[in-house]
Amino acid sequence: GAGVSQSPRYKVAKRGQDVALRCDPISGHVSLFWYQQALGQGPEFLTYFQNEAQLDKSGLPSDRFFAERPEGSVSTLKIQRTQQEDSAVYLCASSLVSEQFFGPGTRLTVL
Amino acid sequence: AQSVTQLDSQVPVFEEAPVELRCNYSSSVSVYLFWYVQYPNQGLQLLLKYLSGSTLVKGINGFEAEFNKSQTSFHLRKPSVHISDTAEYFCAPGGSGGSEKLVFGKGTKLTVNP
């Protein structure tokens, strides 16, 4: 079956621009996670949904970051007024029980 | 809060040699433990996981790991590596609730040379 998909795969934004990153989880997976992976680092947790409820957003670095999952399936991570330090790969993962399945990520470059 | 330490940032080995990638975590509660592999420009793929039961866990591609509660370690091993094992490896404890966030180490870059 289809895995987790993310779009776009690559995004170049000018500083100050708003961006939206999409995640399509595996069908039926209740939990959805967003992680940020800076160059040469391990992924860092951003936020977690169970169905449409955002249960943990403790990892969002600032109020410029916003995530939603309105119908409990597709999720969007939005970054407003992008800064250079936002440049990273943004990974989405979904899970049903214990194992998280990761998408290929969106590489965001802020110029 | 959970934390995880991957003791080696880079591990170079020759093909067909054994390898051990070290991981230590700190947690006062029961955790699930995972090893993920990341090939260049790709997402993370699960190698193996420890949820409960036997402390020796076998995963894909011939990898295995041993959970040691007293030493809070979960080292990854393979008796004979291939060129295709060259990748970044991440250790990650997860919440005992199952569908909770993973805390990733900084990763170990395994390079297998011919």
Side-chain angles (χ1 to χ4, degrees):
Chain A
V4 178
S5 61
Q6 294 185 244
S7 62
R9 289 292 313 276
Y10 303 91
K11 176 69 178 178
V12 178
K14 293 182 179 179
R15 192 172 58 178
Q17 188 177 358
D18 297 350
V19 298
L21 313 180
R22 176 187 170 105
C23 173
D24 284 81
I26 294 172
S27 178
H29 278 195
V30 170
S31 299
L32 186 146
F33 303 80
W34 284 97
Y35 295 86
Q36 180 191 59
Q37 186 175 21
L39 189 65
Q41 301 294 316
E44 291 192 0
F45 170 79
L46 292 177
T47 187
Y48 156 56
F49 291 85
Q50 193 169 89
N51 295 307
E52 68 277 6
Q54 190 174 18
L55 299 186
D56 187 348
K57 55 181 181 179
S58 61
L60 296 176
S62 77
D63 58 8
R64 297 186 295 104
F65 287 71
F66 172 76
E68 60 183 6
R69 194 186 184 197
E71 297 179 359
S73 178
V74 171
S75 177
T76 304
L77 176 67
K78 298 179 180 178
I79 309 173
Q80 297 177 325
R81 305 180 304 281
T82 53
Q83 303 295 315
Q84 283 189 325
E85 61 262 29
D86 300 334
S87 295
V89 175
Y90 291 84
L91 296 167
C92 175
S94 70
S95 76
L96 187 58
V97 183
S98 59
E99 176 182 348
Q100 293 185 26
F101 294 83
F102 283 81
T106 295
R107 182 178 298 276
L108 173 65
T109 302
V110 182
L111 303 177
Chain B
Q2 288 181 19
S3 67
V4 57
T5 302
Q6 291 187 244
L7 295 160
D8 307 294
S9 60
Q10 297 188 51
V11 173
V13 295
F14 288 108
E15 194 174 17
E16 297 183 6
V19 71
E20 178 180 80
L21 307 183
R22 297 179 292 170
C23 171
N24 286 87
Y25 67 96
S26 66
S27 176
S28 60
V29 299
S30 297
V31 296
Y32 295 167
L33 292 160
F34 303 84
W35 274 99
Y36 281 86
V37 60
Q38 187 173 38
Y39 299 102
N41 297 316
Q42 294 188 26
L44 296 161
Q45 180 182 3
L46 182 70
L47 272 179
L48 48 78
K49 60 186 176 185
Y50 171 78
L51 305 180
S52 64
S54 173
T55 57
L56 183 62
V57 179
K58 294 189 182 298
I60 62 171
N61 301 341
F63 284 92
E64 63 182 32
E66 186 157 18
F67 169 58
N68 188 319
K69 187 174 182 179
S70 63
Q71 297 185 2
T72 60
S73 68
F74 192 54
H75 301 331
L76 181 71
R77 301 185 182 100
K78 185 170 183 178
S80 176
V81 294
H82 300 146
I83 297 284
S84 59
D85 292 324
T86 295
E88 191 93 26
Y89 292 79
F90 293 96
C91 177
S96 58
S99 291
E100 294 182 5
K101 64 183 178 184
L102 297 174
V103 178
F104 285 89
K106 292 188 176 182
T108 297
K109 171 66 176 171
L110 175 65
T111 302
V112 181
N113 297 302

